[in-house]
């Protein structure tokens, strides 16, 4: 029997807590770059009576995201997305932060949005860091909201000479995700 599907990206404690609270009766497909992490979360969830399967997934890759969605759809209809994946300024370069936290989140939302059931829901776990920087201009907000996903990383405001450091890149990516 096919179940409703919850996709959980990022095999960390926050995502797992949400899955434990919201995932009962659903098949939980856990995607993470580190297969050991997704397997560990699935083991914990399954031992607690949930139904979870791990999938290796790279949030910075459209192909990898599409694979995650394909695996999820084999089990049933996607009804929930919990995006808790990402990198921090202490973990990654400016380019990686923008590719994962900005571009990857945009791709994930775009692709899941195409297939999630009509009354499906989703949440992206972000950070308060996006609120520590000055407000974006109306023009910057519009660019981030309307630029096609594949063109986001080409925006002048996201070029390395416009980004001060990894914290600034992180704040920009998180700021984009709180719209």
């Amino acid at each position: 029997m096919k179940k409703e599907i919850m996709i959980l990206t990022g095999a960390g404690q926050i995502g797992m807590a949400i899955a434990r609270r919201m995932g009962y009766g659903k098949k939980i497909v856990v995607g993470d770059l580190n297969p050991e992490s997704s397997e560990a979360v699935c083991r914990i969830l399954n031992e607690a009576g949930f139904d979870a399967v791990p999938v290796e997934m790279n949030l910075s890759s459209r192909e990898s995201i599409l694979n995650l969605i394909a695996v999820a759809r084999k089990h049933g209809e996607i009804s929930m997305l919990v995006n808790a994946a990402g990198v921090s300024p202490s973990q990654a370069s400016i380019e990686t932060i923008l590719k994962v936290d900005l571009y990857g989140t945009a791709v994930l939302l775009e692709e899941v949005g195409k297939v999630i059931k009509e009354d499906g829901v989703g949440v992206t776990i972000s950070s308060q860091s996006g609120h520590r920087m000055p407000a974006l201009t109306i023009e910057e907000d519009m660019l981030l909201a309307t630029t096609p996903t594949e063109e986001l990383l080409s925006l002048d405001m996201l070029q390395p000479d416009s980004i001060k450091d990894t914290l600034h890149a992180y704040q920009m990516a998180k700021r984009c995700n709180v719209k």
Side-chain angles (χ1 to χ4, degrees):
M1 180 172 113
K2 293 199 175 209
K3 295 182 175 183
E4 285 192 7
I5 306 301
M6 169 193 278
I7 293 177
L8 167 61
T9 62
Q13 295 300 308
I14 293 173
M16 186 169 59
I18 294 169
R20 290 176 73 98
R21 185 70 177 172
M22 305 299 296
Y24 184 77
K26 294 177 175 53
K27 180 78 158 190
I28 303 169
V29 178
V30 181
D32 195 274
L33 182 61
N34 182 336
E36 293 83 18
S37 296
S38 57
E39 290 166 5
V41 164
C42 288
R43 188 171 39 260
I44 291 166
L45 289 170
N46 289 331
E47 288 173 359
F50 293 88
D51 182 7
V53 295
V55 177
E56 185 174 349
M57 189 260 333
N58 179 346
L59 189 59
S60 70
S61 164
R62 184 178 293 269
E63 180 181 342
S64 186
I65 291 168
L66 289 171
N67 178 64
L68 173 75
I69 292 168
V71 169
R73 292 183 78 193
K74 286 180 184 176
H75 295 284
E77 188 173 22
I78 299 168
S79 65
M80 189 174 291
L81 168 66
V82 177
N83 176 24
V87 294
S88 76
S90 63
Q91 295 175 308
S93 68
I94 290 170
E95 294 79 12
T96 300
I97 291 168
L98 293 174
K99 183 101 186 208
V100 173
D101 291 354
L102 175 65
Y103 170 80
T105 296
V107 170
L108 181 67
L109 295 173
E110 178 181 288
E111 295 297 343
V112 171
K114 293 175 183 177
V115 297
I116 196 166
K117 68 184 269 182
E118 187 173 322
D119 60 345
V121 297
V123 63
T124 292
I125 306 304
S126 193
S127 165
Q128 68 180 3
S129 291
H131 294 287
R132 291 184 187 163
M133 62 184 286
L136 299 174
T137 67
I138 292 171
E139 293 79 17
E140 290 170 328
D141 274 335
M142 287 298 295
L143 280 172
L144 292 169
T146 61
T147 300
T149 304
E150 291 304 320
E151 297 172 22
L152 274 172
L153 296 178
S154 298
L155 290 173
D156 287 340
M157 64 190 275
L158 299 177
Q159 297 313 299
D161 60 337
S162 298
I163 303 286
K164 298 176 192 131
D165 54 33
T166 56
L167 179 58
H168 184 231
Y170 184 73
Q171 290 170 331
M172 289 293 286
K174 294 305 176 183
R175 179 63 183 245
C176 298
N177 293 333
V178 295
K179 298 286 174 224

